[in-house]
Amino acid sequence: MNKLDKIELQNSIKDLQARNAEIKTLILAENSLGSAEKLDTEFKENLVKITEAQNKLDETKKEKTNMTKYLEAKNAVTDFIETLKNGGNKAEVANKWNAKLAENGLEIKDDSLVLPTRLVSAIETSLTDTNPVFKAFKISHVGALLVTSGLASSDEAKVHVEGTEKTVQNAILTVDAITPQMIYKIQTISERAKNLNANYDEIYATIVAELTQAIVNKAVDLALVEGDGTNGFVSIAKEKDVKKVKAISDTAYVTAIEDAVDFVRGTQGTKYLVVTAQQRKTILAEVRALNANVRVKNDDAEIASEVGVDELITYTGTKAIKATVLVQDAYHIDMKDLTKVDAFEWKTNENAILLESLSAGKIEKAKSAAVITISGK
């Protein structure tokens, strides 16, 4: 039973109950025996309808409970992996999986696809936890063209003197659009794991850990440095709008970070400092040199406090990124929801599993990031 049918049934019960309450009043006020008998008959018929409707609701609730138990069980994950192994293309996988859900009490009446709870929870956790930088981005799953707009004007507000004509001021509306591109990861699975159901744990771990993390890591690299406008992303490092991202050059990190923080200070949100492990080490040495009488701990929170940001994040990837100050949710990534079954394809001919996400990313807010270049480093 879909949500609309359930709502209609609940409303029907309420209407019948209201009518029966009205009938009771009418019977007491009725002087004609014949009319009272007709009202009594309608009352009893309504009671039967109410009971039948309530039974349908109770049955639906029971089915939903049984379905939930199945989706939460380890068997559901095993069945899903088996469906991937034998399903063929995406449409065949979806059809066979929906048929398996129907066997366990869930009837699919629309295009939504339900995955095992364990798999969904693990993927969602992986999406948010596998890369420390990923949490700084605004994430959506619309799967559409990313469009950002801004209204720019160098004119100040003016004071109107009574009897004079108001001066028309000029403003420019800027619109930037970025076309999403596919991020993908294909992972080869051993023939033994593919053929033996007992080894489904290896495939499960690959889906959740290796593939999901690879997608997230690539999105982070595109957002920080690799996005050039042709691959679905415009990276922070390559953003040309100086009102959004400031390029800072200096001889020391501590002063450069101070300038970066000044640039983003007015933008609401947590201020992150994203650095490589080597950059972090250099910044710690600079901070300690400025505090000769106090030993600054090798602690992210203490370093962040010393340089004026809310949190320090150590980049775990392999790209040559520059130290970057970024405000929470200023960079927007839209990527296909990886918790949907159509993101998975068991490529039987290549003995591999494919995970892909249509993605796009761009910085949206003014004064929300700064990229730091240190001479000689």
Side-chain angles (χ1 to χ4, degrees), residues 78-91:
T78 306
D79 290 343
F80 177 68
I81 297 300
E82 190 66 25
T83 302
L84 279 177
K85 288 164 60 178
N86 302 320
N89 60 37
K90 293 180 183 179

Side-chain angles (χ1 to χ4, degrees), residues 312-357:
L312 184 148
I313 299 176
T314 302
Y315 168 74
T316 56
T318 59
K319 307 303 176 184
I321 72 164
K322 295 181 178 180
T324 302
V325 172
L326 176 64
V327 179
Q328 177 72 52
D329 293 340
Y331 195 95
H332 183 187
I333 294 179
D334 187 88
M335 59 195 309
K336 190 175 182 180
D337 190 350
L338 299 182
T339 64
K340 299 297 183 185
V341 75
D342 61 1
F344 301 96
E345 180 181 356
W346 185 268
K347 303 177 74 65
T348 53
N349 293 334
E350 299 178 23
N351 189 25
I353 190 168
L354 167 68
L355 181 62
E356 59 187 4
S357 176

Side-chain angles (χ1 to χ4, degrees), residues 301-315:
E302 188 157 347
I303 297 172
S305 177
E306 289 289 337
V307 297
V309 295
D310 297 315
E311 186 174 336
L312 184 148
I313 299 176
T314 302
Y315 168 74

Side-chain angles (χ1 to χ4, degrees), residues 166-300:
K166 294 185 177 72
T167 303
V168 177
Q169 296 174 286
N170 296 320
I172 300 172
L173 177 65
T174 60
V175 178
D176 292 325
I178 194 76
T179 303
Q181 301 293 334
M182 196 70 74
I183 299 177
Y184 69 91
K185 170 68 176 177
I186 299 179
Q187 177 70 45
T188 302
I189 309 296
S190 68
E191 190 66 29
R192 177 179 174 82
K194 179 184 170 187
N195 293 330
L196 296 181
N197 188 65
N199 280 345
Y200 91 96
D201 283 328
E202 181 179 337
I203 304 171
Y204 171 82
T206 298
I207 293 173
V208 173
E210 296 181 29
L211 296 185
T212 308
Q213 183 164 353
I215 296 290
V216 172
N217 288 350
K218 187 62 176 178
V220 168
D221 288 345
L222 285 164
L224 289 178
V225 69
E226 288 188 327
D228 59 8
T230 65
N231 50 17
F233 286 69
V234 175
S235 68
I236 297 170
K238 295 177 181 178
E239 175 60 61
K240 296 179 180 179
D241 190 342
V242 295
K243 293 182 179 180
K244 294 179 179 178
V245 179
K246 183 176 183 179
I248 297 175
S249 298
D250 207 318
T251 57
Y253 278 111
V254 288
T255 51
I257 296 169
E258 183 177 337
D259 288 342
V261 172
D262 285 342
F263 178 71
V264 303
R265 192 180 307 278
T267 306
Q268 186 176 4
T270 302
K271 277 70 174 176
Y272 297 103
L273 173 61
V274 182
V275 293
T276 64
Q278 181 57 51
Q279 289 164 352
R280 181 188 182 281
K281 185 176 181 180
T282 303
I283 292 169
L284 176 60
E286 290 183 5
V287 169
R288 283 176 171 172
L290 293 173
N291 295 272
N293 297 324
V294 179
R295 176 71 172 180
V296 177
K297 296 179 183 177
N298 187 5
D299 176 79
D300 285 349

Side-chain angles (χ1 to χ4, degrees), residues 11-48:
N11 290 338
S12 174
I13 292 173
K14 290 180 181 178
D15 291 342
L16 289 169
Q17 290 173 335
R19 175 56 181 167
N20 273 4
E22 182 184 8
I23 289 174
K24 286 182 179 180
T25 304
L26 293 173
I27 290 175
L28 292 175
E30 186 58 60
N31 294 322
S32 170
L33 179 60
S35 297
E37 288 177 346
K38 288 181 180 180
L39 289 170
D40 184 61
T41 299
E42 182 185 351
F43 182 87
K44 291 176 180 178
E45 289 175 350
N46 286 348
L47 283 179
V48 173

Side-chain angles (χ1 to χ4, degrees), residues 127-138:
L127 279 172
T128 54
D129 293 348
T130 56
N131 192 302
V133 182
F134 197 67
K135 67 179 181 180
F137 304 139
K138 174 185 175 183

